[in-house]
Amino acid sequence: MNGRLQRIWVVLRLALALAVGWCAGWAWGLLTLLLQGAVLACGFVQLRWVNRPAPSWGQLLRAWAGEVVASELAFSWRQPWREWAEPDHLPVGAEAGVLLVHGFACNRGRWNGWMGRLRAQGVAFVAPSLEPAFGSIDAYADEIEAGVQRLKAVTGRMPVLCAHSMGGLALRAWWRRHGAGHPAPHAITLGSPHQGTRMAALGFGVNAAQMRQGSDWLAGLPGLPDVDCFWTPCDQVVNPAETAILAGSRAHRVDGVGHMGLVHADEAWHCLQTALAGSSLSTPRRI
């Protein structure tokens, strides 16, 4: 569903830019197309007053520039048009696996960059597109469980669980429902609103309401037993910044990147590589 909505959005943006360009001149049409970047800038400016200590203007500028690119790549190309460009990869004999869980208003195309690199390494992976798009986060638990089971069937061990944004909460909802049947997984969350986020008040749908700070649903959600939390003081979606840190986790600060940019951060990829090395060696393979 998100892919279809994003295709409509891309077409509407292009149509509006062409209409403005035809009527008022092509320079104005180009500015109309770039308006999304100006809207993004507002989200970064407010972080100077929301986060303490506040990120510098230089960090915010660098994060905004990267976020414009990352957002266009995700919402104008990969998610609307390339959702299944990288199918799930379950090679026979794979030693380790990764489950990739996207965030709010996204789909599995969010992970195309990581999926291509994992395929080249021979690592098994599954990346579901969570539905319903604006339903309860609890509804995603069974889809995640299905992915975990597919990966365990191939590798004989628990996969590493990687989640961006809302996907980190979906992992916790999955752990509440299905955790009793599994050993403790290694999870990596990137910009997940573990303590809620101010910006959820601007969203719509049941899942947006669940992500609001102080929500009853969030208060009843369990933690994860083994998790690395990546966060950034330049996160225009999950803020205040500390809300991306789950109690008891290993917290990793990444400067100068925005919310979408965390998926492109080298630090996060290197953490996954370390986790994969550990998962392939520490647990005997079951045939």
Side-chain angles (χ1 to χ4, degrees), residues 93-149:
E95 292 294 325
V98 181
L99 184 78
L100 300 163
V101 185
H102 65 77
F104 180 75
C106 294
N107 62 36
R108 68 186 304 281
R110 184 75 190 89
W111 296 103
N112 279 2
W114 281 33
M115 288 191 285
R117 295 166 79 177
L118 289 170
R119 188 185 305 277
Q121 293 178 337
V123 174
F125 63 80
V126 170
S129 284
L130 303 177
E131 298 286 351
F134 303 107
S136 171
I137 297 173
D138 288 311
Y140 309 143
D142 291 344
E143 185 76 18
I144 292 172
E145 173 65 10
V148 168
Q149 293 292 353

Side-chain angles (χ1 to χ4, degrees), residues 47-283:
L47 297 178
R48 285 284 295 177
W49 291 271
V50 171
N51 289 336
R52 289 291 180 269
S56 69
W57 286 114
Q59 289 173 331
L60 290 173
L61 181 61
R62 180 156 59 98
W64 169 79
E67 199 73 355
V68 169
V69 175
S71 294
E72 290 290 359
L73 181 62
F75 292 108
S76 297
W77 178 238
R78 284 180 172 170
Q79 291 175 176
W81 311 107
R82 304 283 291 171
E83 180 178 0
W84 292 100
E86 293 283 354
D88 293 342
H89 186 53
L90 297 165
V92 176
E95 292 294 325
V98 181
L99 184 78
L100 300 163
V101 185
H102 65 77
F104 180 75
C106 294
N107 62 36
R108 68 186 304 281
R110 184 75 190 89
W111 296 103
N112 279 2
W114 281 33
M115 288 191 285
R117 295 166 79 177
L118 289 170
R119 188 185 305 277
Q121 293 178 337
V123 174
F125 63 80
V126 170
S129 284
L130 303 177
E131 298 286 351
F134 303 107
S136 171
I137 297 173
D138 288 311
Y140 309 143
D142 291 344
E143 185 76 18
I144 292 172
E145 173 65 10
V148 168
Q149 293 292 353
R150 291 175 67 198
L151 288 163
K152 286 179 71 176
V154 169
T155 66
R157 52 176 58 89
M158 279 295 292
V160 179
L161 311 178
C162 294
H164 177 246
S165 194
M166 180 197 70
L169 302 186
L171 288 183
R172 293 167 63 187
W174 160 80
W175 185 246
R176 174 167 60 186
R177 183 176 299 178
H178 296 286
H182 298 290
H186 186 161
I188 300 171
T189 67
L190 313 176
S192 292
H194 288 297
Q195 302 175 51
T197 172
R198 296 168 61 252
M199 306 309 288
L202 302 178
F204 55 89
V206 177
N207 44 10
Q210 289 171 327
M211 290 188 284
R212 293 174 183 170
Q213 287 184 287
S215 77
D216 292 339
W217 181 86
L218 199 56
L221 201 60
L224 292 165
D226 182 15
V227 58
D228 289 275
C229 291
F230 284 81
W231 66 281
T232 170
C234 299
D235 194 324
Q236 79 282 11
V237 174
V238 176
N239 52 76
E242 63 270 14
T243 60
I245 301 172
L246 182 62
S249 69
R250 295 174 294 275
H252 307 270
R253 172 174 171 160
V254 184
D255 288 314
V257 301
H259 185 70
M260 302 294 283
L262 281 170
V263 172
H264 304 283
D266 289 339
E267 295 91 335
W269 176 256
H270 292 154
C271 182
L272 172 60
Q273 295 302 297
T274 300
L276 287 173
S279 71
S280 64
L281 296 173
S282 63
T283 307

Side-chain angles (χ1 to χ4, degrees), residues 12-39:
L12 288 176
R13 282 184 67 200
L14 290 173
L16 178 61
L18 287 171
V20 171
W22 182 266
C23 296
W26 296 116
W28 287 106
L30 180 60
L31 286 174
T32 301
L33 194 60
L34 298 177
L35 184 61
Q36 183 167 291
V39 174

